[in-house]
Amino acid sequence: MEAQAVKTNLVLILDFGSQYTHLITRRIRSLSVFSLCISGTSSLKSITELNPSVIILSGGPHSVHAPNAPSFPDGFIEYVESKGVFVLGICYGLQLLVGKLGGEVRVGEKQEYGRMEIEVVKERCGLFERGGKQVVWMSHGDEAARLPEGFEVVARSQQGAVAAVENPGRRFYGLQYHPEVTHSPEGMATLKHFLFNVCGVVDGWTMTDVMQEEIKVINEMVGTEDHVICALSGGVDSTVAATLVHKAIGDRLRCVFVDNGLLRFKERERVMETFEKDLHLPVTCVDAVDQFLSKLKGVVDPETKRKIIGKEFICIFDAFANDLEQKTGKKPTFLVQGTLYPDVIESCPPPGSGRTHSHTIKSHHNVGGLPKDMKLKLIEPLKLLFKDEVRELGKILNVPVPFLKRHPFPGPGLAVRVLGDVTEGNALDILRQVDEIFIQSIKDAGLYDSIWQAFAVFLPIRSVGVQGDQRTHSHVVALRAVTSQDGMTADWYNFEHKFLDDVSRKICNSVRGVNRVVQDITSKPPSTIEWE
């Protein structure tokens, strides 16, 4: 599904750097309305080509007074007014609208952060169905001091600051708070009212529509004689992507599963059995353990690891394509990958950073880790979807439910779960054993489906212990488990103490070389889910 294919009822979010921007996208999609997020500093051409019916200007950490503060492009106001596009500014987005339309924004006498009460001061306004008070989530230091001509205040905070403004005649609206977060209990009702009752957006966007649109796009992209290969990782994303492409072009798809030496405990055997017995996909397994580990020897920088792994994957795919050409007389020209929307978002430059490319949180092997000179053209049928949407699509494609419930696994595999040199000692073997005990314990306790992702991490440190009445100087491992809806934000999972005690004992008693187990209790943000 290319963004340009969605021409009706598109709600476009211009991202100015708020940590909540992706939540706006998700909240709108939950209403069965397609929503897409692009950089707030995108060109006017990028915006007009998408032909949105509604544009939302997100919040952000900047002040509109700051030098080089991010803004929408020149000609934006003229474009939305000429096309009758509705515009909603949220937090920084409201201030941006006010400032650009001739109003005044200044540093507030009192800053407003966290839960605040606001009061709707105008009945029958566009933003609210009813008057009265409600609790919202504020996060701003600047405030609208003077509104542009034609605007009026429709809600104020307890401190008297502007909380919501609108100019229905010009279709401009603004909220100083964040309706997209759960801390604004009536925020979803406000968004729903605004989209359906004010903007006239029609719901009806479904995963069936996505499937049909994507099959159409794949068939238009791939010629009738072209062949395609798919990189299967054993995870949900690549499997759903492969199944979707197989539905579109049939046996012209050839899948390859690469054992790079960075897989989980018995992953190769388990995954290949699932592919062959349940999914009936044409899969070739390539043993490339020595190829990957030899290139990773001595490498400790996580970004370098990801780049090396991405490059080696492409070398294998190119070789696989050449081998297929010799056997079939047709050389594959496309490579399918299970890139998701969070992968794309995390690999994009933050607005206002001054960078033309990514200030990378981490290079995803299927976004930033691929070499620029790769010969295969990419097909990324899931790149505008979140994980839960991919799982829903997988159900429609009859991918077995237990497979769809698998926890996410990073493309670089255990390379980003062994901190430091992955080839040093027996770190990978230790990590596999620890991870298997942890995951199996979670399953035995009936907790697996309640957790977004769980895994173990091998730390590059040793600690002193006592085992069998002897002093030990052994390895330390960390356990990480989080809950999340889409992987963009996450909270650490609060296990019962007895569960942690049992798991720690099993690990230390069963895995030679480990004498200490710690738990990661950090949310995202400030941490990422993976350690590297």
Side-chain angles (χ1 to χ4, degrees), residues 299-348:
V299 179
V300 297
D301 177 67
E303 196 64 15
T304 305
K305 288 186 202 177
R306 288 177 178 269
K307 296 289 187 182
I308 290 172
I309 291 168
K311 182 178 179 180
E312 291 309 306
F313 268 125
I314 293 303
C315 289
I316 288 172
F317 300 149
D318 283 339
F320 182 70
N322 290 331
D323 186 50
L324 277 179
E325 183 181 22
Q326 292 179 2
K327 292 178 180 177
T328 65
K330 295 286 185 180
K331 185 175 182 178
T333 51
F334 293 92
L335 171 66
V336 179
Q337 290 204 143
T339 309
L340 300 193
Y341 203 31
D343 299 339
V344 176
I345 293 172
E346 287 193 344
S347 296
C348 287

Side-chain angles (χ1 to χ4, degrees), residues 6 27 75 84 86 102 106 114 118 133 136 152 166 253 300 343 348 367 377 380 382 410 436 446 461 468 483 499 521:
V6 184
R27 297 292 183 257
F86 289 86
R106 63 189 179 201
I118 67 167
K133 298 179 179 180
V136 301
E152 59 182 330
E166 64 182 37
L253 171 73
V300 297
D343 299 339
C348 287
V367 178
K377 301 174 186 176
E380 298 173 301
L382 312 178
E436 178 69 7
I461 56 175
T483 58
F499 173 87
I521 57 169

Side-chain angles (χ1 to χ4, degrees), residues 33-73:
V33 174
F34 185 66
S35 176
L36 185 65
C37 175
I38 66 174
S39 171
T41 55
S42 296
S43 68
L44 185 62
K45 184 173 183 289
S46 299
I47 297 170
T48 60
E49 284 181 343
L50 292 171
N51 193 27
S53 58
V54 180
I55 295 177
I56 295 179
L57 311 177
S58 85
H62 313 280
S63 169
V64 293
H65 306 295
N68 301 316
S71 178
F72 43 69

Side-chain angles (χ1 to χ4, degrees), residues 74 116 291 383 420 431 494:
D74 292 340
M116 300 283 292
Q291 178 176 338
K383 68 180 179 182
L431 180 58
N494 191 6

